[in-house]
């Protein structure tokens, strides 16, 4: 496990609402805002994560005070920009969110997962299935689909169709047998397509695999949504991201958190073996509008020790270094198979009740040395925002909540809000020698504590 970056995350978890910083400097001048963001001058962006340890105060410290408490953001990574806010939620608020979601929890499934479908047919026609998963079969393979799918083909195809990167060959044989009605060992288009009975067998097998081998799937968790949140939490989220809180609250009052931010609050429960392998929260620009999530705000609702697992892992996270696109794609292929967060790279953040993590899925380019996109507020998907929910140990349970903020919600709010409604933040970048020495001293102390904790897994308040 990347000891130092994990230690930094723990060391910084002690700051949050109303905390101070030992060093301060004003933020560097941002690039001119595009018209669509002209009324959100303090929108959270890369300029607030120029260095690891940079601190930004938001809430009651700006010229325009409001009822939101001071929120102290600490940058944990520059690529992607990731921040931590300790004590964003109270313990009572965390338990209230869990209690309101617990009765409606249902198993989480990913976009490709057909293990819960009831239509009794293939997710894709024969040729389209081959084309979509050709890179898993053989990147040098012919783009023309074969006459029939062999066992090797079936194994590679269902690896993706079921979102089951750990699919075993013996399990693939059972899937092939379910579809191979003539018993010749291959699955031809007639057996792949109008084969209702065969696909019902596949569905039952997939459900059995999920029960017996949850660790082999990309995701193993339960989830629910909450439409109604306390207005104080809504205001805090708006101030955190840099949106006009009064405007957000007005939209929230007219339709809940999905009206305010584009999506309802998602509450997720990870039981023993629960995990979510490496993934992105958003998609490339130009795709489905409802999936263009500019920001992720993740609330940690319960504290877990390092031994209990459940950390949030950013395998591509770096301080001042941006990986190349081919490197990011290669990293994604490697870590999608890994639910233990044992790769050894990046940033690993332990679960501490009340802490909020926030990151950019689409890098906003203000202060990043790059002109703004002329058509909108954000660049394309930042592939370095790749992240994972690490596996939860036997006997433990992890609870989190996700509030996604859509790109079009940001643009709508920032083009219609009044300037007086926004709350400037006070940048407190810990960039002096004294400030950074103090930060790394805290990190080293936390690293020593973590090493002791792995030998003695007794729960501790500071982990």
């Amino acid at each position: 496990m990347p000891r130092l970056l994990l230690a930094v995350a723990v060391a910084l978890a002690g700051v949050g609402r109303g905390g101070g910083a030992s060093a301060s400097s004003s933020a560097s001048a941002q690039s001119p805002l595009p018209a669509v963001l002209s009324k959100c001058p303090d929108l959270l962006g890369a300029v607030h994560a120029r260095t690891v340890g940079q601190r930004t105060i938001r809430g009651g410290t700006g010229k325009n005070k409001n009822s939101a408490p001071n929120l102290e953001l600490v940058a944990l990574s520059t690529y992607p920009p990731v921040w931590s806010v300790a004590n964003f939620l109270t313990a009572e608020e965390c338990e209230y969110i869990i209690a309101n979601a617990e009765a409606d929890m249902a198993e989480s499934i990913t976009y490709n997962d057909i293990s819960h479908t009831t239509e009794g047919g293939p997710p894709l026609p024969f040729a389209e299935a081959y084309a979509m998963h050709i890179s898993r079969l053989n990147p040098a393979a012919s783009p023309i689909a074969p006459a029939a799918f062999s066992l090797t083909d079936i194994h590679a195809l269902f690896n993706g169709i079921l979102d089951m990167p750990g699919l075993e060959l013996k399990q693939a044989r059972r899937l092939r047998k379910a579809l191979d009605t003539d018993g010749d060992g291959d699955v031809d288009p007639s057996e792949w397509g109008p084969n209702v009975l065969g696909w019902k067998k596949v569905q039952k097998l997939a459900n059995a695999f999920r029960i017996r081998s949850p660790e082999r799937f990309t995701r193993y968790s339960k989830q629910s949504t909450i439409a109604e949140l306390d207005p104080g939490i809504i205001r805090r989220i708006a101030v955190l991201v840099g949106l006009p809180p009064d405007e957000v609250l007005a939209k929230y009052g007219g339709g809940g958190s999905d009206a305010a931010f584009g999506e309802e609050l998602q509450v997720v429960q990870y039981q023993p073996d629960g995990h979510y392998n490496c993934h992105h929260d958003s998609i490339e620009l130009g795709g489905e509008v409802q999936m263009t999530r500019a920001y992720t705000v993740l609330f940690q609702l319960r504290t877990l020790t390092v031994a209990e697992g459940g950390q949030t892992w950013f395998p591509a996270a770096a301080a001042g270094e941006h990986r190349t696109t081919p490197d990011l794609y290669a990293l994604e292929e490697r870590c999608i198979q890994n639910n233990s967060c044992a790769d050894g790279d990046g940033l690993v953040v332990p679960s501490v009740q009340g802490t909020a993590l926030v990151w950019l899925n689409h890098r906003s380019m203000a202060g990043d040395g790059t002109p703004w996109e002329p058509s909108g507020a954000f660049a394309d998907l930042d592939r370095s925002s790749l992240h994972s929910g690490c596996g939860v140990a036997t006997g433990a349970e992890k609870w989190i909540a996700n509030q996604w903020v859509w790109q079009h919600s940001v643009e709508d709010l920032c083009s219609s809000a009044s300037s007086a409604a926004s709350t400037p933040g006070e940048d407190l970048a810990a960039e002096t020698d004294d400030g950074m020495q103090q930060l790394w001293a805290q990190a080293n102390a936390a690293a020593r504590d973590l090493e002791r904790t792995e030998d003695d897994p007794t729960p501790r308040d500071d982990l």
Side-chain angles (χ1 to χ4, degrees), residues 48 112 124 180 194-195 201 203 210 219 344 355 396 413 416 425:
H48 302 103
N112 288 336
L124 288 171
D180 181 19
N195 185 1
K201 291 179 180 178
Q203 179 185 333
R210 181 175 289 281
R219 186 176 192 183
T355 296
L413 286 160
S416 62

Side-chain angles (χ1 to χ4, degrees), residues 305-323:
T305 66
V306 173
E308 290 173 321
Q311 301 94 333
T312 301
W313 179 34
F314 297 86
E321 176 186 358
H322 194 275
R323 295 174 184 250

